Amino acid sequence: MAAAASFLPDVPDGRRARLLAELQRFPPFSQMPVEALVPLLEGATQRRYAAGQVVVAPDDGPVRHLWYVRRGAISGQQGLATMAPAGFQYEAGDLFPVGAVTGERAVTATYRATQDTACLLIPAALVHELAREHPPFADFLNRRMLQFVELSRRAVQVAYSSRTLAEQSLQARLGSLTRAQPFSCGPDTPLSEALATMHAHRIGSMVVTGPDGAVQGILTRHDVLGRVTLPGLPLATPIGAVMTAPVHQLTVEHTAQDAAVLMSRHGIRHVPVTDGGRLVGVVSERDLFSMQRLSLKHVGNAIRAANDVATLSLVAQDIRRFAGNLLGQGLGARQITEVISHLNDVLTARVVELVAARRQLDLGRACWIALGSEGRGEQTIATDQDNGLVLAEEAAGERAAWLAFAQEVNHALADCGFPLCKGGVMAMNPSWCLTTQEWCERFARWIEHGAPQDLLNAAIFFDFRPLAGDAQLVEPMRAFVTRRAQAVPRFLRQMAEVALQHRPPLNWLGGIETTNEGGREVVDLKLQGVSLFVEAARIYALAHGIEATSTRARLQGYAAAVGVGEAESDGWVEGFDFLQYLRLRAQIGPDRQALGPNQIEVRSLSDIDRRILKEAFRMARRLQQRLELDYLR
């Protein structure tokens, strides 16, 4: 039996201070006042465990303590009846078993010391008392992974503070940026009155609202020349006759990033903001410029204004710089990869337009499609090309001309920093320059007759998304894939077999398993992490008719379709997002290393980041276990 002792009463003052400092190294104690930690230590007992000794098991009944690991390591191993091929490991600074303590139940795994280990045992009653009195402690118990991710983001913000001191966060809600009393008028208001108000108050737009405060239209200074002055309209004309309608608008719950993306995507300068359907403000391009020295709209407009590939190759460098700024502002992986993908979309579309115009080809007879990470809207900085071309049936006889066009586009994109795909998955490859019907036939062969190796190579094609040209050419392809994939169980099983060829890098004790690269212990965040979520999400989307292409949307759509609990589905999404976040840091962050763009040295990570990384791999493993149960049992 392990020895237990009351921990704090007889400890000298100097050692007491060291113990408090030790606790404050790790969350959630690092977020709690020191005075809250003293009663914790007074109520805790210390227990030591020899290597191999059982700490707590399911047969012990409802747990009465929360264990805090001071030194050593504890591994939890599920029973033989479960699907878990590996355990999960707790190291210095970790708390366990959180779920059992908060749920007042027995553990579901057997916890065993893997080396000589010292733990503090905090009574369950004291745990509940601390949770009631200290919100950071309660938040940690209830949303542990989210709390870790937030702390990790804050650490990166500190590292970037010198670069982003003068920049506000794009995560700010529009409700905090807009005027309390925006200027607006009814649709019958004469232009003379509306323009006089705009001039007197130096505002760039007038929003037109109905009696209920709902936005009906907008007139901007930019509109006046083309809609009022040049046509010579009398100033008695009601503003409703010349306003833009319908209007792109957002709510107070949207963020400045949402507004920036909307402005860039639609080439607009003002966005009305509503609350409960009523106008409450207007956010302008100037507002966002004041928040950022390098604006999303600025980069997007520079790309659209470029008249040659040489200019585009220079502007493309701003995408990396802008992404670095966003990382320093504390934005998460989803927001940053969305912005990167959006700007890459704009750049690719501009290249396609320039080359088509030079070759006098009608883009109404074809559609450039994005595949892989670009198709999913999840690109990081280090990304090569995955694309294809869909031809209208009447353009099939012009295939040679379109292939020459595609070759020029692919090489132009390479000049802009997007390397040619080593596997040849590009529109200039005749295999991926097909009519709509030919694409459907190709998908049919994969779904109905594909061998595992074929499906491994073809997986990224199921992430297709229209990018430039006639998007309607792609609609029959999505409809066909959505319908046919659900009808062929053999295809879904084979896709699952391919997906499960790679497993998260966790050893049988639950620790992170690394590979040695020149004396560095590294993991491949893409191959061993991100891809596991991507592949599972793709299979579930195909199986349940989910047309979304992003991994996050696919996972959320699947969870809603089959009733997966919010805690589990949020864990999948957070695990995926954090792996993407580490990839971005490895590529553009303050801790980027001289490794591959998807590799990270585990020892270089902070305590918090190592713990989140391990938890993210556990989330991937749980998702794979579900996939295995659904399709291989």
Side-chain angles (χ1 to χ4, degrees):
M1 188 73 178
S6 181
F7 191 57
L8 193 63
D10 299 323
V11 171
D13 289 343
R15 189 176 171 216
R16 179 180 298 209
R18 289 195 297 273
L19 291 171
L20 290 171
E22 175 191 317
L23 278 178
Q24 288 185 301
R25 286 178 52 206
F26 303 104
F29 309 120
S30 58
Q31 301 166 276
M32 298 169 62
V34 174
E35 55 268 24
L37 303 182
V38 174
L40 183 152
L41 289 177
E42 289 176 341
T45 56
Q46 178 163 264
R47 188 165 290 178
R48 301 180 188 278
Y49 302 93
Q53 184 176 357
V54 172
V55 177
V56 62
D59 291 342
D60 295 338
V63 296
R64 303 184 184 280
H65 298 89
L66 185 67
W67 276 258
Y68 166 77
V69 183
R70 293 192 64 206
R71 291 183 299 277
I74 302 289
S75 178
Q77 190 72 37
Q78 302 282 7
L80 295 176
T82 70
M83 289 295 298
F88 39 92
Q89 185 163 286
Y90 295 99
E91 300 167 350
D94 280 330
L95 289 167
F96 75 93
V98 172
V101 171
T102 56
E104 299 180 348
R105 58 170 174 79
V107 294
T108 58
T110 298
Y111 294 81
R112 192 185 305 269
T114 58
Q115 54 188 274
D116 290 344
T117 300
C119 294
L120 289 186
L121 278 63
I122 308 168
L126 182 54
V127 171
H128 295 308
E129 182 181 338
L130 288 170
R132 287 193 299 270
E133 296 180 359
H134 301 284
F137 190 70
D139 286 346
F140 180 86
L141 295 181
N142 295 327
R143 307 177 72 198
R144 180 174 54 179
M145 188 164 179
L146 293 178
Q147 291 293 312
F148 275 143
V149 170
E150 180 58 28
L151 289 169
S152 176
R153 289 177 187 168
R154 289 179 189 173
V156 174
Q157 279 185 276
V158 170
Y160 259 51
S161 59
S162 61
R163 292 180 53 179
T164 59
L165 186 62
E167 300 171 348
Q168 299 179 37
S169 174
L170 278 177
Q171 288 182 317
R173 295 192 182 280
L174 296 181
S176 67
L177 300 177
T178 52
R179 295 188 183 92
Q181 294 182 330
F183 293 97
S184 63
C185 66
D188 297 328
T189 303
L191 281 171
S192 57
E193 182 180 332
L195 295 176
T197 301
M198 292 170 64
H199 178 72
H201 296 280
R202 297 187 178 185
I203 55 176
S205 65
M206 178 63 72
V207 181
V208 181
T209 59
D212 59 353
V215 176
Q216 294 186 351
I218 190 171
L219 182 71
T220 69
R221 286 180 180 271
H222 183 74
D223 297 330
V224 171
L225 178 63
R227 299 185 184 186
V228 180
T229 306
L230 292 178
L233 290 182
L235 293 181
T237 303
I239 192 172
V242 296
M243 69 184 184
T244 296
V247 184
H248 295 290
Q249 52 191 292
L250 297 171
T251 73
V252 291
E253 295 302 315
H254 284 91
T255 64
Q257 181 218 345
D258 295 324
V261 170
L262 190 68
M263 290 181 187
S264 179
R265 184 167 289 147
H266 298 286
I268 57 179
R269 294 181 173 86
H270 301 82
V271 177
V273 180
T274 63
D275 186 4
R278 296 179 60 86
L279 177 72
V280 295
V282 177
V283 63
S284 69
E285 179 184 43
R286 181 180 297 177
D287 295 329
L288 299 184
F289 267 115
S290 70
M291 295 175 64
Q292 297 176 275
R293 290 191 294 268
L294 187 64
S295 160
L296 175 60
K297 183 84 182 306
H298 171 77
V299 177
N301 283 347
I303 293 171
R304 292 187 181 94
N307 291 318
D308 52 54
V309 173
T311 303
L312 283 171
S313 66
L314 293 175
V315 178
Q317 298 174 19
D318 285 340
I319 299 176
R320 174 185 288 270
R321 194 156 54 91
F322 185 57
N325 287 354
L326 298 183
L327 186 68
Q329 290 182 25
L331 265 70
R334 180 182 65 83
Q335 293 93 339
I336 299 175
T337 53
E338 179 184 83
V339 168
I340 293 172
S341 295
H342 165 65
L343 291 174
N344 289 347
D345 284 355
V346 175
L347 186 145
T348 301
R350 184 58 180 156
V351 170
V352 169
E353 291 167 1
L354 289 173
V355 175
R358 196 182 71 75
R359 290 180 172 269
Q360 298 183 330
L361 290 172
D362 179 9
L363 285 177
R365 296 163 65 84
C367 183
W368 188 274
I369 56 174
L371 307 169
S373 62
E374 187 174 11
R376 298 189 302 272
E378 295 165 357
Q379 285 183 302
T380 57
I381 289 297
T383 182
D384 61 2
Q385 295 185 50
D386 290 310
N387 48 57
L389 196 61
V390 183
L391 302 179
E393 296 300 326
E394 60 270 21
E398 308 163 6
R399 201 181 305 260
W402 284 107
L403 282 169
F405 153 82
Q407 183 175 32
E408 184 174 344
V409 171
N410 286 142
H411 284 284
L413 290 173
D415 291 339
C416 292
F418 303 96
L420 297 175
C421 175
K422 294 179 180 178
V425 182
M426 293 174 291
M428 68 181 185
N429 185 333
S431 297
W432 317 125
C433 178
L434 308 170
T435 66
T436 301
Q437 182 59 35
E438 289 169 340
W439 274 108
C440 288
E441 291 170 357
R442 185 65 56 89
F443 280 115
R445 285 201 298 274
W446 284 327
I447 293 171
E448 295 167 14
H449 307 292
Q453 187 60 40
D454 296 329
L455 296 180
L456 177 64
N457 297 330
I460 64 170
F461 289 91
F462 290 93
D463 302 333
F464 64 88
R465 179 170 61 89
L467 203 59
D470 185 4
Q472 291 185 352
L473 293 173
V474 180
E475 292 177 3
M477 295 162 53
R478 179 61 63 194
F480 175 82
V481 169
T482 301
R483 181 181 67 253
R484 194 69 194 127
Q486 290 178 282
V488 184
R490 170 187 167 276
F491 164 70
L492 297 172
R493 178 184 175 87
Q494 285 189 309
M495 289 282 283
E497 289 174 347
V498 170
L500 293 169
Q501 289 177 7
H502 294 106
R503 301 284 186 169
L506 294 172
N507 60 33
W508 71 277
L509 292 174
I512 297 176
E513 199 165 60
T514 60
T515 56
N516 189 287
E517 298 280 349
R520 295 182 176 185
E521 297 300 318
V522 305
V523 294
D524 189 311
L525 297 168
K526 181 179 179 181
L527 181 65
Q528 297 176 288
V530 168
S531 294
L532 310 186
F533 289 97
V534 168
E535 290 161 0
R538 181 188 294 123
I539 293 166
Y540 281 128
L542 291 169
H544 294 272
I546 298 166
E547 295 191 0
T549 56
S550 82
T551 299
R552 168 183 281 262
R554 284 171 165 174
L555 289 173
Q556 291 172 332
Y558 163 67
V562 301
V564 173
E566 185 176 335
E568 184 174 3
S569 61
D570 284 350
W572 299 338
V573 171
E574 285 298 327
F576 170 75
D577 281 349
F578 184 72
L579 290 168
Q580 287 282 75
Y581 183 64
L582 281 188
R583 289 180 70 200
L584 288 165
R585 280 173 47 179
Q587 294 169 16
I588 59 177
D591 54 353
R592 60 181 177 267
Q593 307 155 81
L595 292 168
N598 296 306
Q599 291 181 316
I600 196 159
E601 186 178 12
V602 175
R603 286 181 298 187
S604 72
L605 298 174
S606 67
D607 288 337
I608 290 174
D609 286 340
R610 279 198 300 274
R611 292 161 79 179
I612 312 175
L613 179 60
K614 187 164 56 177
E615 188 71 14
F617 288 145
R618 286 177 60 192
M619 293 298 107
R621 188 175 66 192
R622 290 178 187 173
L623 185 57
Q624 284 197 330
Q625 289 165 3
R626 176 179 282 268
L627 193 67
E628 193 167 0
L629 281 170
D630 286 344
Y631 295 105
L632 302 185
R633 292 279 168 155

